[in-house]
């Protein structure tokens, strides 16, 4: 997986929305393809230097937008066709 541009925390935008934007951009740039798994919440939290609550909210934002889907017990995956949706 290519590097993700993590939120810097110096914007007025809430961190969870900055994280969602970073992941959305990464998906639309082909960093994770349709059906590909996102790193776990714990891993994303460590990589981005954010709390798991913030990571969970950022992922929920992408779920609400239809860009990723959460499969209980399996993880969070890029939704089919979401590369196109993420670019919109």
């Amino acid at each position: 997986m290519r590097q993700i541009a993590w939120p810097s925390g110096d914007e007025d935008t809430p961190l969870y929305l900055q994280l969602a934007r970073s992941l959305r951009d990464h998906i639309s740039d082909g960093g994770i393809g349709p059906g590909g798994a996102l790193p776990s919440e714990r891993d994303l939290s460590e990589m981005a230097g954010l709390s798991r609550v913030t990571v969970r909210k950022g992922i929920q934002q992408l779920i609400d937008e239809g860009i990723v889907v959460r499969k209980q017990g399996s993880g969070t995956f890029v939704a089919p066709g979401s590369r196109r949706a993420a670019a919109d």
Side-chain angles (χ1 to χ4, degrees):
M1 179 167 61
R2 295 190 327 228
Q3 286 293 90
I4 300 171
W6 299 114
S8 61
D10 60 354
E11 296 181 27
D12 289 335
T13 306
L15 285 173
Y16 80 95
L17 291 176
Q18 292 181 46
L19 175 67
R21 182 177 57 221
S22 294
L23 290 171
R24 188 182 309 109
D25 291 347
H26 188 66
I27 291 166
S28 69
D29 291 343
I32 306 173
L38 267 64
S40 69
E41 288 178 359
R42 177 179 293 150
D43 289 344
L44 284 171
S45 175
E46 290 174 4
M47 289 188 284
L50 300 171
S51 74
R52 286 185 67 182
V53 172
T54 301
V55 169
R56 193 170 294 125
K57 283 183 72 173
I59 290 172
Q60 186 61 51
Q61 177 70 30
L62 296 178
I63 291 170
D64 293 346
E65 294 174 14
I67 294 172
V68 299
V69 294
R70 181 175 287 142
K71 296 181 181 175
Q72 185 69 30
S74 296
T76 306
F77 300 86
V78 177
S82 64
R83 184 172 178 194
R84 185 174 54 249
D88 291 343

